[in-house]
Amino acid sequence: MMVVLAFLLFALMLTTVHPQETEETITYTQCTDGYEWDPVMQRCKDIDECEIVLDACKGGMKCVNHYGGYLCLPRTAQIIVNNGQQEAASESTSNRNGNPIIRRTPPDIQPGSHIQCAAGYQAGDHNVCQDIDECAAGTHNCRSDQLCLNLRGSFVCQCIPGYQKRGDQCIDVDECVLPPFCHHRCVNLPGSYYCQCNSGFQLAADNHTCADINECEVGNECREDEMCSNYHGGYRCYPRNPCQEPYILASENRCVCPVTNPLCRDLSYSIVHKYMSIRSDRSVPSDIFQIQATTIFPNTINTFRIKSGNDNGDFFLRQTSSVSAMLVLVKPLSGPREHIIDLEMLTVNSMNYRSSSVLRLTLIVGPYSF
C-alpha cells in the first residue's frame, strides 16, 4: 500500500512540476505566489497549501490556510474571519495531513467586500491585487534630479547617467579621475565630460584619441622659398636651398662642392640634407636612421662615423654592412628640441684615393611622448 501511495505522490509531483518547466513567457494567466489561475472565473484564486503540502506543519501544530499562504498555529487557536465572526479552531473536516481545514463562508471573498492588498498594491479588476506604478502615478518621492524605476510592489530612485548615489542624493561622477578616458586632457562637467587635445593635435572620431595635425598638408606659414617639415605636435620651415658657400645646389636637398673650387680641397664633396622627427622620451636603445652609400665602387672600403652633433653622447653609429650604417639613439631625448647630426661616409680605394660624403640629419624631438 505504501509503495502505491509513494508512486501516486511521485506521479502527482511530476504532473505538477512539468507544466512549470515548459513555461517560457509570462502570460496573463500567471498569478503571484500562493495563487493559481481559475480558467472558469478568469481570475487568480487562493491555493490551499494545507491540502497539497505534505506535513506542512510540525510539532503538533495545525495548518490554517489564508490568502497567498498558510499558517501553523496551536490547535487551540481561534480564527477571526472576514465577517467578524469567531470560528473554532477545530472543524469536522480535515485534510490528508490530519490538520483541520478552516473554511471561510463564502470560501473566497464575500460579495460586496474588497480584498486587502499589501503596500504597493491595489485591488483591480476581479478584486485581484495589482502593482501600483508609483512612477506613473506620481506618488513617488524621488528628487527632481533622479529617475523613478517602478518595481513589483515598490519603486527605487536612480541617478541619471554621469551621477552616482550617496545617501538620498546624486553626486557627479568625475570621469577625469578614473582610468584615462582621454588621450591628452579631460575636462569634467556636471554629469559628463569631454576630451581636449594639445596644440598641434585634433580630436579623432572616437572623441577620446588625439591625432597629429599635419600642418604641411592642411596649411602652414612657410614661405615659397621654404619647405615644410611636420613633426608630432607641430611643424618647421626649412630653406629649399640649404647649401652654404662654397657648396652649390646639385639636386633637391643635395649640395656639392666643385673640385675646381680651391676652397673645396679639404671639405666633403657632398652634403645631403634629411629631416625626421621622433616623439619625446623615446625608449632606448632605438634604431632611428639608416645611412647607405648610393654608389658602390669596386676595390673600395667604406667607413662611417658621427662627424658632429653628438657632444652629449646621445647617439651611436653602428655599421651594418660595407655600404651602410645605423644611427642608434642611446639616451632619451625630451622635446621640443632640434638636433643637427653630421653622419660621414669615408671611401678609400686601393690607389689610396679618399673621398668624403656627409648626410646632415636634422632631428626634431616633439614636445610630447605620445
Side-chain angles (χ1 to χ4, degrees):
M1 183 62 178
M2 292 298 291
V3 174
V4 174
L5 287 176
F7 178 79
L8 291 175
L9 179 59
F10 181 72
L12 178 61
M13 292 174 65
L14 287 178
T15 58
T16 303
V17 173
H18 180 70
Q20 295 180 359
E21 294 177 346
T22 58
E23 291 179 354
E24 296 181 354
T25 58
I26 297 176
T27 67
Y28 69 95
T29 61
Q30 286 187 324
C31 302
T32 58
D33 294 342
Y35 293 84
E36 63 182 355
W37 181 254
D38 187 341
V40 178
M41 298 298 294
Q42 290 292 298
R43 65 182 179 89
C44 294
K45 68 176 183 179
D46 177 55
I47 298 173
D48 190 348
E49 293 85 358
C50 297
E51 282 282 356
I52 65 173
V53 178
L54 183 64
D55 293 331
C57 296
K58 308 293 185 181
M61 304 290 280
K62 67 179 179 180
C63 181
V64 179
N65 184 62
H66 73 103
Y67 295 117
Y70 67 95
L71 299 172
C72 292
L73 301 176
R75 292 188 178 276
T76 58
Q78 299 294 318
I79 308 300
I80 304 299
V81 296
N82 289 342
N83 55 13
Q85 298 177 354
Q86 191 177 56
E87 294 186 358
S90 60
E91 296 286 346
S92 58
T93 59
S94 61
N95 59 17
R96 60 173 163 228
N97 298 327
N99 295 319
I101 303 173
I102 302 301
R103 298 293 187 187
R104 293 172 176 82
T105 305
D108 288 312
I109 302 175
Q110 300 181 32
S113 64
H114 295 281
I115 189 172
Q116 297 296 318
C117 300
Y121 293 86
Q122 62 184 0
D125 297 338
H126 307 295
N127 222 16
V128 177
C129 291
Q130 296 178 342
D131 173 56
I132 299 174
D133 188 344
E134 295 86 354
C135 300
T139 57
H140 60 84
N141 59 355
C142 296
R143 299 161 56 97
S144 59
D145 59 347
Q146 296 175 339
L147 299 176
C148 179
L149 176 64
N150 188 61
L151 300 176
R152 187 172 171 179
S154 183
F155 66 93
V156 293
C157 300
Q158 291 185 334
C159 299
I160 61 177
Y163 291 83
Q164 61 184 355
K165 202 167 185 180
R166 290 184 183 174
D168 61 348
Q169 295 185 345
C170 290
I171 306 298
D172 173 53
V173 176
D174 188 352
E175 294 85 357
C176 296
V177 301
L178 300 175
F181 279 81
C182 299
H183 191 184
H184 288 185
R185 294 195 306 274
C186 178
V187 179
N188 187 60
L189 296 175
S192 183
Y193 72 98
Y194 67 92
C195 298
Q196 283 185 338
C197 296
N198 295 323
S199 176
F201 294 84
Q202 61 184 356
L203 202 60
D206 60 5
N207 290 326
H208 291 80
T209 306
C210 293
D212 175 57
I213 299 174
N214 190 341
E215 294 86 354
C216 297
E217 295 180 355
V218 300
N220 56 78
E221 297 180 357
C222 295
R223 303 191 306 266
E224 289 187 4
D225 61 344
E226 294 178 326
M227 65 178 193
C228 179
S229 178
N230 183 71
Y231 64 89
H232 286 87
Y235 73 98
R236 295 199 178 188
C237 301
Y238 294 101
R240 294 187 179 276
N241 182 2
C243 304
Q244 297 178 356
E245 291 287 345
Y247 287 89
I248 61 174
L249 185 66
S251 60
E252 184 179 3
N253 293 332
R254 184 171 183 265
C255 306
V256 296
C257 199
V259 293
T260 57
N261 190 335
L263 298 176
C264 297
R265 177 171 301 181
D266 297 324
L267 298 177
S268 299
Y269 172 70
S270 66
I271 300 177
V272 176
H273 294 261
K274 293 291 184 180
Y275 306 89
M276 69 169 294
S277 66
I278 61 173
R279 292 180 173 89
S280 183
D281 299 317
R282 181 168 174 168
S283 60
V284 294
S286 179
D287 296 348
I288 60 174
F289 190 84
Q290 179 173 274
I291 180 174
Q292 185 168 344
T294 56
T295 304
I296 302 174
F297 298 98
N299 302 318
T300 59
I301 299 175
N302 299 309
T303 58
F304 300 86
R305 69 179 182 129
I306 301 177
K307 186 176 182 180
S308 64
N310 193 31
D311 296 338
N312 296 325
D314 300 320
F315 307 96
F316 171 76
L317 193 61
R318 183 182 74 247
Q319 186 157 346
T320 55
S321 72
S322 60
V323 293
S324 64
M326 177 65 69
L327 182 66
V328 182
L329 178 67
V330 294
K331 293 182 180 180
L333 300 177
S334 298
R337 188 176 177 184
E338 183 180 87
H339 292 264
I340 299 177
I341 312 151
D342 279 358
L343 307 177
E344 184 180 33
M345 182 181 72
L346 295 171
T347 303
V348 180
N349 62 13
S350 57
M351 302 297 294
N352 204 26
Y353 170 77
R354 297 169 59 90
S355 67
S356 169
S357 299
V358 170
L359 187 144
R360 181 160 293 168
L361 178 64
T362 300
L363 179 65
I364 307 168
V365 182
Y368 310 110
S369 59
F370 37 75

